[in-house]
């Protein structure tokens, strides 16, 4: 069985999320065929296939159109990517608009600061384990301290980035706290980009 997923026009991590949803249904000889419109999505799907010990192959059909196959087996050579009628199933894409997570502090909630840091660490850890990952994580003000060397959440943020989540930290904030040289995950951003991400988001999550 070939499970076809058309996520052209959808931003990361949606191609990874939608493909990963199908994995529990795969049996010997099955594979997913994901249609994407950019090579970054192809690379993210390949990373997931490697992590899951599954076979991987892709084909550039034309500009802005790639077919990506991921198999149940760990060797794609053992699987045919040719499908016939009843042997294929087209799956609907259920992800909505972009989800942006905003971390404006290294603490979660008001009250005891030590407890707040524990809660934030737990939130980011739980976020990294979700089936449906956010598109982007924005870190500003005290949240900038989470994406630098020494952060207890650094490993989880790196895991999220590896799975296709965009990690953006405010450059002004990094400079204010004198930690710009310690940035260890994602990229530096500015207020214009932060504003654009927030105004275009389908959903904003702020713990």
């Amino acid at each position: 069985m070939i499970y076809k997923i058309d996520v052209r026009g959808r931003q990361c991590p949606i191609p990874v999320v939608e493909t990963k949803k199908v994995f529990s249904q795969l049996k010997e000889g099955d594979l997913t065929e994901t249609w994407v419109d950019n090579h970054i999505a192809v690379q993210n799907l390949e990373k997931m296939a490697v992590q899951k010990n599954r076979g991987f192959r892709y084909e550039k059909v034309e500009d802005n159109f790639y077919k990506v196959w991921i198999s149940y087996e760990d060797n794609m050579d053992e699987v045919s990517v040719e499908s016939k009628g009843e042997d294929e199933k087209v799956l609907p894409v259920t992800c909505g608009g972009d989800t942006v997570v905003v971390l404006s502090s290294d603490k979660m909630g008001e009250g005891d600061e030590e407890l707040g840091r524990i809660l934030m660490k737990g939130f980011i850890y739980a976020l990294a384990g979700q089936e449906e990952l956010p598109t982007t994580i924005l870190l500003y003000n005290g949240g900038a301290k989470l994406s630098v060397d020494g952060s207890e959440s650094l490993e989880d943020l790196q895991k999220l980035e590896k799975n296709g989540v965009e990690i953006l930290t405010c450059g002004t904030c990094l400079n204010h706290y004198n930690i710009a040289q310690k940035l260890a995950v994602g990229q530096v951003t500015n207020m214009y980009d932060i504003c654009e991400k927030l105004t275009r988001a389908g959903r904003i999550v702020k713990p």
Side-chain angles (χ1 to χ4, degrees):
M1 174 74 76
I2 294 181
Y3 295 85
K4 292 191 174 182
I5 309 151
D6 186 353
V7 283
R8 289 172 292 178
R10 302 297 188 101
Q11 296 185 22
C12 288
I14 290 176
V16 170
V17 170
E18 291 296 318
T19 303
K20 185 178 179 182
K21 285 180 181 178
V22 186
F23 280 2
S24 62
Q25 304 177 43
L26 299 184
K27 299 175 293 185
E28 185 175 351
D30 290 349
L31 66 154
T32 59
E33 180 181 303
T34 307
W35 294 5
V36 297
D37 58 14
N38 64 88
H39 197 257
I40 296 298
V42 174
Q43 293 175 325
N44 287 334
L45 287 165
E46 182 178 15
K47 289 178 184 178
M48 180 177 66
V50 171
Q51 290 169 359
K52 299 292 184 181
N53 295 317
R54 298 181 184 270
F56 172 88
R57 183 186 298 173
Y58 83 93
E59 173 189 342
K60 183 176 181 180
V61 180
E62 57 187 40
D63 287 343
N64 301 321
F65 182 18
Y66 300 79
K67 290 184 178 181
V68 179
W69 294 279
I70 298 177
S71 66
Y72 177 85
E73 291 81 5
D74 60 5
N75 186 352
M76 181 62 82
D77 293 336
E78 299 175 3
V79 182
S80 172
V81 299
E82 298 297 326
S83 63
K84 299 179 181 179
E86 67 275 7
D87 293 331
E88 67 178 53
K89 182 177 181 180
V90 180
L91 300 176
V93 177
T94 57
C95 281
D98 294 353
T99 297
V100 176
V101 173
V102 175
L103 303 179
S104 60
S105 173
D106 60 344
K107 300 178 287 294
M108 187 174 179
E110 300 294 335
D112 186 89
E113 292 192 0
E114 182 179 357
L115 175 60
R117 291 189 180 92
I118 292 171
L119 294 175
M120 180 59 77
K121 179 182 177 183
F123 173 81
I124 296 173
Y125 173 82
L127 185 65
Q130 296 298 301
E131 284 293 319
E132 183 174 339
L133 298 176
T135 308
T136 303
I137 297 177
L138 296 176
L139 303 101
Y140 55 77
N141 208 323
K145 299 175 184 179
L146 297 167
S147 57
V148 301
D149 284 330
S151 165
E152 293 186 350
S153 295
L154 183 58
E155 184 176 342
D156 291 320
L157 288 173
Q158 290 172 334
K159 177 181 176 181
L160 284 159
E161 183 179 43
K162 184 180 294 186
N163 286 327
V165 179
E166 183 180 37
I167 311 290
L168 300 175
T169 304
C170 169
T172 300
C173 306
L174 289 168
N175 289 331
H176 176 81
Y177 290 111
N178 198 28
I179 53 175
Q181 301 303 317
K182 296 182 178 181
L183 185 68
V185 62
Q187 298 178 341
V188 176
T189 191
N190 55 64
M191 189 52 66
Y192 180 88
D193 288 339
I194 291 173
C195 183
E196 186 175 52
K197 293 288 184 182
L198 292 175
T199 55
R200 293 186 178 182
R203 178 172 54 180
I204 297 173
V205 177
K206 187 175 181 181

